[in-house]
Amino acid sequence: MAELVKSPARPEALRRRIPDAAVTRLPVYLQILNKSITDGVSQVSSDQLAALAGLNAAKVRKDLSYLGSYGTRGVGYDVAYLVYQIKRELGLLNDWKVVVVGAGNLGNALTNYSGFSSRGFVVSSVVDIDVAKVGKKVGGIIVRHVDDLKSIVNDDNVTIGLIATPPASAQCAAELLVAAGIKSILNFAAIGLTMPNDVSVRSVDFGMELQILGYYEQLHRPVVCQ
Amino acid sequence: MAELVKSPARPEALRRRIPDAAVTRLPVYLQILNKSITDGVSQVSSDQLAALAGLNAAKVRKDLSYLGSYGTRGVGYDVAYLVYQIKRELGLLNDWKVVVVGAGNLGNALTNYSGFSSRGFVVSSVVDIDVAKVGKKVGGIIVRHVDDLKSIVNDDNVTIGLIATPPASAQCAAELLVAAGIKSILNFAAIGLTMPNDVSVRSVDFGMELQILGYYEQLHRPVVCQ
DNA sequence: ATCTGTGAATCAATTCACAGCC
DNA sequence: GGCTGTGAATTGATTCACAGAT
């Protein structure tokens, strides 16, 4: 891994702030580049990346330039090296452990979701408040009780919580996670959470995603109204 | 419902284009306002809405002004009326029917997801390619075979497809949806889809969501690296 | 000749600040 | 006095266009 480092990591003080819009695109590049590796591609140009990501080449170059000047003029980018740099920037050089709260349908789906391990995350534990579910297996993991959250977080170095409970239990689940020491929460319950400032929450609401999708297509432009 | 319409709908030519960033916030306002209604609140100010949405009041007022001038100076907004206007803009005055492709864990979770019906969407059918799953029930719905997609779309007025298959089958599922006449796809498989221009696709990738969450918190700022 | 990296220019989004109305 | 609605100002993101490296 050391041989991949061309230049020393910039000191924290000099670290450029990467624009929010660019940060949201880094995972997209990462996915494409990982696929390129499995396809045996080792060099890629901003034009090619742009085509695969559905963007334009200037944006790709600008985004990648926030990481540093890691391309080669006249040639392009070394795929493996770019993967390393994006992972470094996103903090993904090591895997991160997550705990799933809620062993229902959604918890099951998340625990078995193939897109986590390939992106640097490992579902380490699943907990539920329902004792009837405790001891059962979800995706090869034995469900534990929410009361065990504290020891799961402390003993197992879990740093991220996923909320996969019904909406009515989500706020409670979030508070239990925070009480156990978790500071990063990805919330899949269709409800907003109120949390202290030092906890970062990101909510994924499938219904809202559909509403936005709808606005831009069928539902809006040709006013069909069945 | 007619009594809610203060002014006639603007003709298509005069319809203001709402900025993308504002469109993504309309569902958030809608959720908050719906909760306000169940809480018995009938008036709301931009300040209150902003606090609940985690935004500032100026942004809320600007966003709502794209819908028209539906507030009352010195007073605020009528909650029910605002809900109506946002729904109108998002095309949510009627429910929309969706079909879920894939009756595995994720398909199960989506079919039972409580955040759809409350947001104007109804899971009308579930299909799978695996004949062993056909005939079984998922969330009260009998799973049908993907070969039935065409008739589901035609006979049942389904206009939106959700992809809940493993990544390897997602592209195929998308093509089957398009072949059946679907033009709006929400993709939950952890893989990008290549689609014709007249199909609108929105992909939700849980792993990427985690990567972005991570960048902004633990993983990035205090470089712990366990 | 080709493709990156980046200032400069443009376009979009946010915030300011206040006139206008209740 | 309080709150909306909106131009004007500001900040942020995207695109242009070309100098510079290979």
Side-chain angles (χ1 to χ4, degrees):
Chain A
M1 190 173 276
E3 77 282 3
L4 282 169
V5 183
K6 265 186 202 165
S7 62
R10 275 157 283 137
E12 199 68 28
L14 288 187
R15 169 167 270 157
R16 287 168 256 185
R17 175 87 177 65
I18 298 185
D20 290 350
V23 170
T24 65
R25 285 187 295 264
L26 290 181
V28 177
Y29 301 137
L30 193 51
Q31 184 190 10
I32 293 169
L33 294 169
N34 277 327
K35 184 165 186 318
S36 297
I37 289 177
T38 64
D39 291 351
V41 178
S42 65
Q43 287 284 328
V44 72
S45 70
S46 59
D47 262 317
Q48 294 171 308
L49 254 180
L52 292 166
L55 306 167
N56 65 62
K59 196 184 280 179
V60 171
R61 287 202 301 277
K62 192 64 123 184
D63 286 348
L64 296 182
S65 76
Y66 296 125
L67 305 172
S69 299
Y70 297 132
T72 309
R73 291 169 196 230
V75 179
Y77 301 88
D78 180 89
V79 176
Y81 186 53
L82 205 47
V83 164
Y84 172 80
Q85 291 298 340
I86 294 176
K87 281 191 178 174
R88 184 184 51 69
E89 191 62 45
L90 291 175
L92 296 174
L93 294 180
N94 308 104
D95 276 5
W96 293 88
K97 293 182 183 176
V98 308
V99 55
V100 173
V101 183
N105 286 312
L106 192 50
N108 233 287
L110 290 176
T111 307
N112 290 291
Y113 187 67
S114 60
F116 282 144
S117 57
S118 62
R119 284 173 178 76
F121 299 93
V122 176
V123 177
S124 153
S125 309
V126 181
V127 299
D128 202 294
I129 204 163
D130 179 1
V131 289
K133 285 183 184 153
V134 172
K136 301 228 166 111
K137 273 198 172 182
V138 165
I141 297 171
I142 293 173
V143 179
R144 297 171 66 181
H145 193 266
V146 282
D147 290 347
D148 293 348
L149 265 179
K150 233 166 206 144
S151 59
I152 289 170
V153 170
N154 288 334
D155 305 346
D156 207 18
N157 278 312
V158 172
T159 48
I160 299 167
L162 308 193
I163 295 183
T165 64
S169 319
Q171 180 66 38
C172 170
E175 283 162 14
L176 289 170
L177 281 170
V178 172
I182 291 284
K183 289 272 173 21
S184 291
I185 293 176
L186 190 57
N187 171 38
F188 290 94
I191 192 170
L193 301 176
T194 53
M195 285 281 108
N197 281 344
D198 66 330
V199 178
S200 58
V201 180
R202 205 173 160 88
S203 289
V204 180
D205 187 310
F206 306 154
M208 289 192 190
E209 293 292 330
L210 263 184
Q211 290 176 339
I212 296 167
L213 173 76
Y215 177 81
Y216 286 108
E217 209 48 34
Q218 260 99 310
L219 323 193
H220 201 65
R221 285 224 283 272
V223 184
V224 199
C225 277
Q226 359 194 3
Chain B
M1 193 171 273
E3 77 282 3
L4 283 168
V5 184
K6 265 184 199 164
S7 63
R10 275 157 281 137
E12 199 67 28
L14 288 186
R15 170 166 267 157
R16 287 169 257 184
R17 175 84 178 67
I18 299 185
D20 290 350
V23 169
T24 64
R25 286 187 294 264
L26 290 180
V28 177
Y29 300 138
L30 192 51
Q31 183 188 11
I32 292 169
L33 293 169
N34 277 328
K35 181 165 189 317
S36 298
I37 288 176
T38 65
D39 291 351
V41 177
S42 65
Q43 288 285 327
V44 73
S45 70
S46 59
D47 263 318
Q48 295 171 305
L49 253 179
L52 292 166
L55 307 166
N56 65 63
K59 196 183 280 181
V60 171
R61 288 203 299 280
K62 193 62 123 185
D63 286 348
L64 297 182
S65 77
Y66 295 125
L67 305 172
S69 299
Y70 298 131
T72 310
R73 290 166 198 234
V75 180
Y77 301 88
D78 181 88
V79 176
Y81 187 52
L82 205 47
V83 164
Y84 172 80
Q85 291 299 340
I86 294 176
K87 281 190 178 175
R88 185 184 49 70
E89 191 62 45
L90 292 175
L92 296 173
L93 294 180
N94 309 105
D95 277 4
W96 293 89
K97 293 182 182 175
V98 308
V99 56
V100 173
V101 183
N105 285 313
L106 191 50
N108 232 286
L110 291 174
T111 308
N112 289 291
Y113 187 68
S114 60
F116 282 144
S117 58
S118 61
R119 285 174 177 75
F121 298 93
V122 176
V123 177
S124 154
S125 308
V126 180
V127 299
D128 203 293
I129 204 163
D130 179 1
V131 289
K133 285 183 182 152
V134 173
K136 300 227 165 110
K137 274 197 173 182
V138 165
I141 298 171
I142 293 174
V143 178
R144 296 171 67 183
H145 194 266
V146 283
D147 289 347
D148 293 348
L149 265 179
K150 231 165 207 148
S151 60
I152 289 171
V153 170
N154 288 334
D155 304 348
D156 206 18
N157 277 314
V158 173
T159 48
I160 300 167
L162 309 192
I163 295 182
T165 63
S169 319
Q171 179 67 36
C172 170
E175 283 162 14
L176 289 170
L177 281 170
V178 171
I182 292 284
K183 287 273 175 16
S184 291
I185 294 175
L186 190 56
N187 171 38
F188 289 95
I191 193 170
L193 301 176
T194 53
M195 285 279 110
N197 281 344
D198 65 330
V199 178
S200 56
V201 180
R202 207 173 158 87
S203 288
V204 181
D205 187 310
F206 306 155
M208 289 191 190
E209 293 293 329
L210 263 182
Q211 291 177 338
I212 296 166
L213 173 77
Y215 177 82
Y216 285 108
E217 209 48 33
Q218 259 99 309
L219 323 193
H220 202 66
R221 284 225 282 273
V223 184
V224 199
C225 277
Q226 354 193 10

